[in-house]
Amino acid sequence: MTQPFRLEFQVRDYELDIQGIVNNGVYFNYLEHARHEYLLAKGVDFAALAQDGIHLVVIRSELDYKAPLKSGDRFVVEVTTERLGKVRFGFRQRVIRLADDKVMLDGLVTGTALNERGRPYISPAIESLFEA
């Protein structure tokens, strides 16, 4: 198995809710940014695909919150991909606090690509993510 892509973050105060922990919705932003950076690192330009009429879309998100992040916590988001079907792919993602390597979140974000007619389409760029 290949090493996961890792992107480092730090919790900012405005991401906290009234309880002093990262709001659950903020994790979606962390995960999305990490996916986009992962794609760029693999040579897949999300914006260029959209300009070419290929739209990568999320069709399902499954997030298991294990423990809360707090202000100033440094953490990484790990990303790996897997094929989930003919036109579906998954991003396995984990949020790991760096201070103690504790897994704070486990997630599976399922996506597909749509062509200019809105039909599922796996472009060669996306297909390349699953090559050995």
Side-chain angles (χ1 to χ4, degrees):
M1 180 175 193
T2 61
Q3 290 290 89
F5 174 83
R6 292 169 58 101
L7 187 64
E8 188 171 330
F9 293 81
Q10 183 172 0
V11 173
R12 297 163 289 200
D13 291 338
Y14 64 82
E15 297 169 328
L16 306 178
D17 61 21
I18 199 164
Q19 300 169 348
I21 60 176
V22 171
N23 181 277
N24 64 302
V26 172
Y27 288 91
F28 286 97
N29 295 326
Y30 296 155
L31 299 178
E32 180 178 35
H33 184 65
R35 287 193 307 275
H36 287 195
E37 291 296 318
Y38 166 82
L39 290 171
L40 282 172
K42 295 290 189 177
V44 178
D45 187 329
F46 184 84
L49 282 175
Q51 288 176 347
D52 291 340
I54 305 301
H55 300 282
L56 302 183
V57 296
V58 170
I59 58 176
R60 182 178 176 88
S61 296
E62 302 171 55
L63 306 182
D64 294 320
Y65 299 94
K66 305 290 189 179
L69 288 168
K70 297 179 180 173
S71 181
D73 280 346
R74 297 191 73 75
F75 62 96
V76 295
V77 177
E78 291 186 344
V79 182
T80 59
T81 53
E82 62 186 74
R83 201 61 187 264
L84 298 176
K86 185 175 178 184
V87 294
R88 294 183 311 127
F89 47 87
F91 293 93
R92 293 266 175 205
Q93 295 187 264
R94 294 190 323 160
V95 172
I96 302 168
R97 187 172 53 207
L98 289 173
D100 56 3
D101 289 327
K102 182 176 178 72
V103 175
M104 310 304 275
L105 178 143
D106 269 319
L108 172 62
V109 177
T110 303
T112 193
L114 302 175
N115 65 19
E116 62 280 349
R117 296 182 313 277
R119 305 278 306 173
Y121 167 76
I122 299 298
S123 71
I126 298 303
E127 192 68 48
S128 71
L129 297 174
F130 308 104
E131 295 172 355

